């Protein structure tokens, strides 16, 4: 297990299309986080899971966004009817409950044209 | 929304000089962490300081934390061109990390 993996690394899509990203966390970690980062800004929290339960969602996560972690392992983040404002880097991180350490993936860069 | 602010937003220094970045935050925290991000890449964890600690060192990195002022600083000593990156502080209040806006550091050879 070499860390947090995200797929794809890059995605270009037309406005109005749906996109789905995948995150594979470190296997021992029971917490999984999604962040969004726009150019020149720090990452902004979107949502997190503990095992398969989605425990918190940011107001940034509009109705067009949905995240799942069906078996408490990998997670998917889907954006429906993409808009140009969705263009950003989507970062996934994992951690173990009651541990300080977070490990981030390399991110998925989404460009909506 | 972002927890805090980082200062300066951008910093340009010569190789060999020291770089100091500051971070302020708003709420109580369990710990504060610093991350580095090269352009277009993911975040790399640098150092963590707990709320009951005041100073921590790791190699060329020195972090201080002042919980009474809700502020932290990251010092990189003897900087190298390879240190060129964005640096983010992130506070952990128990459930998630909340990031600042970052400092973009450029180290000129």
């Amino acid at each position: 297990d070499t860390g947090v993996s995200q797929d794809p690394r890059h995605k270009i899509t037309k406005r109005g299309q749906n996109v789905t990203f995948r995150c594979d966390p470190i296997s021992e970690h029971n917490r999984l986080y999604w962040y969004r980062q726009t150019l020149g800004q720090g990452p902004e929290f979107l949502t997190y899971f503990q095992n398969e339960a989605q425990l918190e969602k940011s107001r940034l996560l509009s109705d067009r966004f949905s995240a799942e972690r069906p078996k408490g392992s990998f997670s998917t983040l889907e954006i429906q009817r993409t808009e140009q404002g969705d263009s950003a880097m989507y970062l996934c991180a994992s951690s173990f409950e009651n541990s300080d350490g977070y490990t981030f993936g390399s991110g998925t860069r989404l460009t909506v044209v | 929304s972002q927890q805090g602010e980082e200062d300066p937003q951008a910093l340009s220094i010569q190789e060999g000089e020291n770089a100091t970045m500051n971070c302020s935050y708003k709420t109580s925290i369990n710990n504060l962490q610093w991350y580095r991000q090269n352009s277009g890449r993911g975040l790399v964890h640098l150092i963590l300081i707990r709320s009951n600690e005041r100073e921590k060192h790791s190699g060329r990195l020195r972090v201080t934390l002042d919980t009474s002022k809700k502020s932290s600083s990251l010092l990189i000593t003897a900087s190298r061109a390879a240190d060129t990156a964005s640096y983010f502080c992130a506070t952990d209040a128990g459930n998630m990390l909340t990031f600042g806006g970052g400092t973009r550091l450029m180290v000129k050879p």
Side-chain angles (χ1 to χ4, degrees):
Chain A
D1 193 307
T2 56
V4 177
S5 299
Q6 291 190 247
D7 183 67
R9 291 292 305 274
H10 303 274
K11 178 72 176 178
I12 300 174
T13 190
K14 291 184 178 179
R15 191 171 46 187
Q17 297 293 305
N18 299 344
V19 293
T20 300
F21 311 140
R22 176 179 170 125
C23 172
D24 287 88
I26 291 175
S27 55
E28 308 87 66
H29 288 178
N30 63 344
R31 285 189 172 182
L32 186 148
Y33 307 81
W34 286 99
Y35 284 81
R36 181 173 71 185
Q37 185 179 25
T38 53
L39 204 60
Q41 303 296 315
E44 294 177 296
F45 170 78
L46 291 179
T47 188
Y48 93 93
F49 293 83
Q50 181 160 307
N51 301 312
E52 65 274 11
Q54 188 173 18
L55 295 188
E56 192 156 345
K57 289 167 45 171
S58 162
R59 285 170 293 176
L60 292 175
L61 216 64
S62 75
D63 291 345
R64 297 184 297 106
F65 287 69
S66 62
E68 294 182 346
R69 195 182 183 198
K71 297 181 180 178
S73 56
F74 74 91
S75 174
T76 57
L77 177 68
E78 181 184 16
I79 309 174
Q80 296 182 326
R81 306 181 303 280
T82 51
E83 302 172 355
Q84 285 190 318
D86 297 331
S87 295
M89 174 81 89
Y90 290 84
L91 294 163
C92 176
S94 70
S95 73
F96 190 75
E97 183 186 2
N98 298 324
S99 165
D100 295 331
Y102 292 73
T103 304
F104 279 82
S106 297
T108 293
R109 180 166 294 285
L110 173 67
T111 302
V112 182
V113 298
Chain B
S1 63
Q2 294 182 319
Q3 158 81 292
E5 296 179 359
E6 293 182 60
D7 171 56
Q9 290 187 328
L11 180 61
S12 181
I13 59 174
Q14 293 293 134
E15 206 165 27
E17 293 180 339
N18 296 342
T20 300
M21 297 161 237
N22 302 297
C23 167
S24 61
Y25 59 93
K26 298 172 185 173
T27 63
S28 297
I29 61 173
N30 292 344
N31 64 70
L32 185 144
Q33 306 180 26
W34 286 89
Y35 287 82
R36 167 195 167 122
Q37 186 178 41
N38 284 49
S39 181
R41 300 291 192 92
L43 294 159
V44 175
H45 180 264
L46 294 176
I47 193 166
L48 178 152
I49 185 164
R50 293 190 170 81
S51 59
N52 61 352
E53 297 175 315
R54 292 297 166 257
E55 187 171 313
K56 203 160 182 181
H57 297 254
S58 176
R60 294 185 295 114
L61 305 180
R62 172 177 168 254
V63 171
T64 63
L65 179 64
D66 186 335
T67 52
S68 67
K69 294 181 180 178
K70 292 187 168 59
S71 67
S72 174
S73 68
L74 171 69
L75 169 68
I76 304 174
T77 60
S79 64
R80 306 166 181 167
D83 294 329
T84 294
S86 291
Y87 292 82
F88 295 92
C89 70
T91 54
D92 186 352
N95 285 344
M96 72 191 79
L97 291 178
T98 305
F99 287 84
T103 293
R104 279 152 281 287
L105 173 66
M106 176 175 289
V107 181
K108 300 175 187 175

